[in-house]
Amino acid sequence: MKKIDIEFNTNEDFNKTLLSKLKSKLEEVHDGGGKKNAEKQKAKNKMLARERIAYLLDKDKPQIEIGALAADGMYETEGGCPSAGVVVIIGYITGRQCIVVANDATVKAGAWFPMTAKKNLRAQEISIENKLPIIYLVDSAGVYLPMQDEIFPDKEHFGRIFRNNAVMSSMGIIQIAAIMGSCVAGGAYLPIMSDEALIVDKTGSVFLAGSYLVKSAIGEDIDNETLGGASTHSEISGVTDNKFPDDASCLDYIKRLIEKTGHFENAGFDRREPQPPKKDAKDIFGIIPSDAGKQYDMYEVIQRLIDNSEFDEYKAKYGQTIICGTARIDGWAIGIVANQRKVVKSKKGEMQFGGVVYSDSADKAARFIMNCNQRKIPILFLQDVTGFMVGSRSEHGGIIKDGAKMVNAVANSVVPKFTVVIGNSYGAGNYAMCGKAYDPRLIIAWPSAQIAVMGGTQAGKTLLQIHVSTMKTQGKQVNKEHEQELLNEITERYQRQTSPYYAAARLWVDAIIDPMETRKWISMGIEMANHSPIIKQFNVGLIQT
């Protein structure tokens, strides 16, 4: 398509500016707690969290990071909580795909904030769903006490991590933990409930209560090293399995453990020799509009993501506001469900808005999802959806029933699902197109993404009406000038919440990525999903109604 025109160039400049912002933001969070705190860790002869992961993972293999932007702007403590104080990366150790979780001791001494727990639980969820070996590199001062009520007692809080340790062990999922710094109180259970617990001499320590608390509680005077250091736990208590003189030797041992691990049954997803797209992927920057309300052709995007730009479409002339078909990405067979963003003509000759789900497109997508389940083909959802069609004609035509068919198909799908939020992700469209609530194995956003119950303009006007009505009920007068100020304030706040950064901070998406990395994410995602055989049957009950 290389159509060099003003609109293409405008889009390209806009999207590359968004990408530049993303790269700057990632550089910022990769610094963790800053240079001063990093130097303190180095003075203790310790590697930093990202250095440990880099040493452990194969350098010639790809990797993806989960939740790099987690907790961004969420905590008002000095320096915030970059990456929620924990680094999670999926990569390869001696050729075997693994997920590595490393506490970042430069961020509040590796203390656990609410989002730290949520991110650790997400890492475990990925490990459980995909039977992926998980490596914990532990270096944490424990729960961040000022926020203990938001991290300690609830079902999805801190304790759920140790529950998951037990469940994962029973499922045969490999868990290896290396205690490379502090490991205190309830956090001590995480490494010790793993299959193998390693500890680094002089820097690693593990105990339920530190020396100060022991002195306060029972009057015993003892230092931390004697209480719970590497020699104590490797030679006296037997809590840890091996001790090592430094980080590198500990990490080398983990490599040898993974290298000797046997291979398990896989799911049997089909893969051929990978081929690059025939159409230039970089054109995506010029295709995605700078104005989220503008139309564009989703086929042009699809052809820049798939091998050889070859796409076998399903029901091409029916339900055209959703595109369905099969292709390959990096050699892996995949089904694609994508929102068409340009105006199309329906089977009855009526014009249908791009990005809107109509009854016929919902019905088509539901049936296509069923086909993918029958043929054991993973599904990729490309979201740019403003919601389901409204109005009397749609309601009388059964849009709710057809929408329910699609939502049922997505919810009950047993093949792996992956979601890329390209543009809008609004309302029930988010659900039908496999938003976070519908268990995608990975969900990622491009910098152009917007996630909310509805668009900012519509939401601003709706919220303004409610606000003005409330003020009038209280006997307050609102003139046009004040109304416009309120509208601007409400819209600005709402649009801030639709930002992909707002979503990434709360782990509604696993990452915001450069669109050029989409193929890598999907390929690695299918590879990890292939570790886990499908054991459930697809429920087609509502699809047939």
Side-chain angles (χ1 to χ4, degrees), residues 240-444:
T240 55
D241 301 307
N242 279 298
K243 72 173 182 178
F244 301 88
D246 52 40
D247 285 4
S249 56
C250 182
L251 296 169
D252 285 334
Y253 185 78
I254 294 173
K255 292 180 185 182
R256 295 196 295 273
L257 288 177
I258 295 296
E259 183 184 29
K260 295 179 180 70
T261 299
H263 293 269
F264 297 90
E265 180 187 2
N266 63 38
F269 303 128
D270 188 66
R271 192 180 196 187
R272 304 287 170 83
E273 185 69 27
Q275 299 292 336
K278 282 185 178 175
K279 294 196 173 184
D280 191 349
K282 291 186 176 67
D283 286 345
I284 286 173
F285 293 112
I287 293 168
I288 303 300
S290 56
D291 180 347
K294 282 190 175 181
Q295 305 286 304
Y296 65 95
D297 191 348
M298 184 61 81
Y299 286 104
E300 296 292 347
V301 174
I302 293 171
Q303 289 166 356
R304 286 160 176 80
L305 295 176
I306 60 178
D307 290 14
N308 275 330
S309 301
E310 292 176 354
F311 185 59
D312 294 317
E313 191 167 3
Y314 174 76
K315 289 183 180 285
K317 299 300 181 182
Y318 178 76
Q320 295 177 74
T321 63
I322 289 184
I323 300 168
C324 298
T326 54
R328 290 187 183 275
I329 290 181
D330 200 36
W332 293 102
I334 194 158
I336 295 175
V337 179
N339 302 112
Q340 173 57 291
R341 276 309 313 267
K342 71 174 186 178
V343 174
V344 297
K345 189 178 288 187
S346 76
K347 60 185 180 293
K348 297 177 181 177
E350 299 161 348
M351 301 309 292
Q352 294 184 340
F353 297 104
V356 178
V357 181
Y358 290 79
S359 284
D360 53 0
S361 50
D363 176 70
K364 176 174 82 171
R367 294 177 184 277
F368 177 73
I369 290 166
M370 179 173 66
N371 288 345
C372 288
N373 275 266
Q374 288 174 330
R375 298 166 191 168
K376 202 187 285 188
I377 301 174
I379 305 171
L380 170 62
F381 292 83
L382 299 177
Q383 282 195 12
D384 195 341
V385 57
T386 53
F388 282 82
M389 191 59 192
V390 297
S392 60
R393 178 175 293 180
S394 292
E395 299 293 359
H396 296 171
I399 184 68
I400 296 174
K401 173 172 63 70
D402 292 318
K405 289 180 187 178
M406 183 176 176
V407 170
N408 180 69
V410 174
N412 282 296
S413 177
V414 296
V415 295
K417 298 167 292 193
F418 303 91
T419 302
V420 179
V421 186
I422 291 176
N424 303 317
S425 179
Y426 293 157
N430 170 281
Y431 302 157
M433 291 295 294
C434 198
K436 184 65 183 288
Y438 289 79
D439 300 320
R441 297 292 177 99
L442 293 171
I443 178 169
I444 52 181

Side-chain angles (χ1 to χ4, degrees), residues 65-100:
E65 181 170 357
I66 304 296
L69 296 167
D72 181 48
M74 290 183 65
Y75 302 119
E76 295 180 357
T77 60
E78 184 182 352
C81 188
S83 293
V86 62
V87 183
V88 176
I89 293 180
I90 299 171
Y92 299 81
I93 301 174
T94 63
R96 297 288 296 273
Q97 199 177 40
C98 300
I99 184 165
V100 185

Side-chain angles (χ1 to χ4, degrees), residues 6 13 22 43 64 101-102 105 134 229 254 260 264 296 334 352 387 406 447 463 501 515 518:
I6 293 174
D13 290 344
L22 171 63
I64 55 178
V101 180
I134 186 167
I254 294 173
K260 295 179 180 70
F264 297 90
Y296 65 95
I334 194 158
Q352 294 184 340
M406 183 176 176
L463 290 168
Y501 291 93
T518 306

Side-chain angles (χ1 to χ4, degrees), residues 3 6 26 29 100 148 153 195 217 228 324 407 443 493 513 523 540:
K3 185 180 176 183
I6 293 174
L26 289 173
V29 299
V100 185
Q148 65 84 27
D195 303 313
C324 298
V407 170
I443 178 169
R493 182 176 68 248
I513 69 162
S523 177
V540 297

